[in-house]
């Protein structure tokens, strides 16, 4: 029997090669099908190629080029839990979105952004907007998700990092083209390091599918606790609010005039649990005390003179909770601007986006927790804590001065 040569032994079989190509095409088709299902329409005839699309299509606000390559990271923002009903809040999802945008920057790719964001009903109560001194409401906004472009200005983000939505015509064409390119079109790269993606054959592929665990987008990113490694500041996405939200915030700021602001986080941060001795403990031992009106007055009095307008954003829903602050300040809430907000706001995420922009326009702004060394805060408790401690309700010396 003839002996097989070394070259013949090392050469992959045509059957295995065809199997690899079939898997790639099938995966790209599944992505395409997912995108079509999410939009409810085909959007474009799929025989159209990238060249056809970019040469013949009307130009949008941002021109895409034939040389662009794409980073896909799943059809929804990282959302702890298996469905929208138990999803974390806007801040957590923004951390994941910011991470994915940083990955696209690092790889020099266009980011394929999910076209929608989940909203947990617990974060979507109308009581935050319909605030009054004598009543509250547990009525919620309709829907458990919202369109991404109702929160963010995609074109504005694209000035920093090129972005397309996963229900866009561009993405449909890119997916169709990737199937024609076969093994040069798309690669599923779960677990591959970002440096290998940038410096190997992966860099020439049209699409990199970076989909990792749907519970943790940011585990693929750099050390999230190392501020020097963060390419985008925490303020990036808040400043990328959709145009109608930015316009709404400007109208509110114009009515407020010269004002100060505080952001008071209470409800979701005041969870307690009992230890084995039955003693209640909390992760933020001073927070309940520091965010009560009498302690807020003490904390801000040296920075905010009496008689000033004080805009308050908070998830505290107890009627009249902040009324004691009126002895020193003119109080204002989002609920005072219903004529401006009601035609625009459809969920609390949109409201949070507007309130953050209003905070940015304040002469003096106190956050609840410190994020940067220069921040003014209502409490000295750290924003992140794994320790469960006994709550403190008496004044201590560390609260006497605000640096």
């Amino acid at each position: 029997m003839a002996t097989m040569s070394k070259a013949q032994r090392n050469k992959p079989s045509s059957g295995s090669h065809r199997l690899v190509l079939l898997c790639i095409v099938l995966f790209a088709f599944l992505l395409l099908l997912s995108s079509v299902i999410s939009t409810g329409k085909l959007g474009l005839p799929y025989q159209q190629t990238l060249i056809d699309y970019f040469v013949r299509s009307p130009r949008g606000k941002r021109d895409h080029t034939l040389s662009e390559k794409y980073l896909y990271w799943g059809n929804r923002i990282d959302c702890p839990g298996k469905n929208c009903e138990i999803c974390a809040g806007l801040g957590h999802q923004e951390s994941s979105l910011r991470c994915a945008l940083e990955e696209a920057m690092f790889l020099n790719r266009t980011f394929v952004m999910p076209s929608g964001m989940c909203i947990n009903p617990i974060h979507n109560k109308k009581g935050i907007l319909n605030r009054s001194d004598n009543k509250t409401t547990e009525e919620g906004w309709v829907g458990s998700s919202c369109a991404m472009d109702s929160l963010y200005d995609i074109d504005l983000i694209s000035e920093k990092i090129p972005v397309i939505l996963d229900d866009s015509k561009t993405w449909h064409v890119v997916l169709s083209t990737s199937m024609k390119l076969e093994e040069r079109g798309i690669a599923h790269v779960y677990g591959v390091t970002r440096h290998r993606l940038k410096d190997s054959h992966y860099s020439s592929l049209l699409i990199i599918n970076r989909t990792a665990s749907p519970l943790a987008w940011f585990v693929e990113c750099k050390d999230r606790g190392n501020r020097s490694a963060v390419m985008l500041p925490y303020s990036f996405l808040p400043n990328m609010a959709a145009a109608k939200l930015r316009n709404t915030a400007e109208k509110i700021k114009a009515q407020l005039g010269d004002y100060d602001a505080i952001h008071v986080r209470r409800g979701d941060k005041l969870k307690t649990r009992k230890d084995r001795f039955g003693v209640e403990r909390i992760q933020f031992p001073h927070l309940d005390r520091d965010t009560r009106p009498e302690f807020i007055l003490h904390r801000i009095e040296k920075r905010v003179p009496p008689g000033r307008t004080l805009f308050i954003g908070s998830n505290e829903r107890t009627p009249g909770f902040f009324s004691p602050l009126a002895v020193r300040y003119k109080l204002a809430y989002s609920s005072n601007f219903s004529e401006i907000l009601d035609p625009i706001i459809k969920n609390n995420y949109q409201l949070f986006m507007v309130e953050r922009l209003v905070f940015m326009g304040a002469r003096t702004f106190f956050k609840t927790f410190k994020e940067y060394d220069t921040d003014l805060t209502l409490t000295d408790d750290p924003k992140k804590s794994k320790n469960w401690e006994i709550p403190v309700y008496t004044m201590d010396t560390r609260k006497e001065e605000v640096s």
Side-chain angles (χ1 to χ4, degrees), residues 85-252:
E85 282 67 34
I86 53 176
C87 187
L90 177 63
H92 183 104
Q93 293 189 71
E94 279 193 340
S95 292
S96 298
L97 178 56
R98 188 172 59 246
C99 166
L101 290 168
E102 287 183 6
E103 190 82 345
M105 289 178 65
F106 181 83
L107 298 175
N108 194 28
R109 286 177 172 266
T110 296
F111 178 58
V112 184
M113 183 181 288
S115 55
M117 181 183 283
C118 283
I119 308 180
N120 184 332
I122 199 171
H123 299 298
N124 209 25
K125 302 291 186 183
K126 289 186 176 181
I128 297 176
L129 183 56
N130 299 337
R131 186 189 308 275
S132 72
D133 287 341
N134 55 17
K135 65 178 181 178
T136 187
T137 177
E138 289 301 310
E139 182 185 0
W141 297 97
V142 176
S144 60
S145 64
C146 62
M148 193 66 71
D149 57 7
S150 73
L151 296 176
Y152 302 103
D153 187 327
I154 306 303
D155 291 305
L156 192 59
I157 293 176
S158 292
E159 293 180 8
K160 181 74 174 179
I161 312 104
V163 167
I164 61 172
L165 295 174
D166 68 359
D167 64 351
S168 65
K169 293 180 179 180
T170 302
W171 179 231
H172 290 172
V173 173
V174 170
L175 283 176
S176 179
T177 302
S178 73
M179 289 190 283
K180 297 174 184 178
L181 292 174
E182 298 180 338
E183 72 271 18
R184 294 180 293 115
I186 189 169
H188 183 76
V189 295
Y190 169 62
V192 181
T193 67
R194 63 193 336 224
H195 294 284
R196 187 181 171 203
L197 291 177
K198 189 174 185 180
D199 301 328
S200 68
H201 71 283
Y202 290 114
S203 63
S204 63
L205 297 176
L206 178 63
I207 302 171
I208 286 178
N209 174 32
R210 194 68 160 122
T211 305
S213 165
L215 306 186
W217 275 22
F218 51 78
V219 298
E220 298 284 354
C221 284
K222 284 187 175 182
D223 177 11
R224 307 307 297 163
N226 179 7
R227 290 288 175 88
S228 64
V230 176
M231 300 169 70
L232 293 173
Y234 287 92
S235 59
F236 177 73
L237 285 171
N239 278 296
M240 296 295 110
K244 66 178 182 180
L245 301 182
R246 298 198 307 271
N247 293 338
T248 299
E250 287 302 317
K251 292 177 182 178
I252 292 174

Side-chain angles (χ1 to χ4, degrees), residues 330-395:
K330 302 171 187 175
L331 306 186
Y333 310 92
S334 294
S335 55
N336 298 132
F337 303 96
S338 57
E339 290 186 2
I340 297 174
L341 291 169
D342 285 351
I344 302 297
I345 301 302
K346 306 303 178 186
N347 56 68
N348 275 344
Y349 280 10
Q350 290 182 321
L351 177 61
F352 298 157
M353 299 284 284
V354 170
E355 287 188 337
R356 291 191 304 195
L357 293 172
V358 175
F359 293 152
M360 294 178 196
R363 176 181 290 191
T364 303
F365 173 49
F366 278 79
K367 299 179 179 180
T368 302
F369 298 102
K370 187 180 291 291
E371 292 176 345
Y372 296 99
D373 291 339
T374 56
D375 288 342
L376 297 174
T377 62
L378 299 176
T379 184
D380 292 328
D381 285 347
K383 187 176 182 179
K384 303 292 183 181
S385 175
K386 295 182 179 180
N387 299 322
W388 290 82
E389 304 177 46
I390 298 174
V392 177
Y393 291 99
T394 58
M395 179 66 76

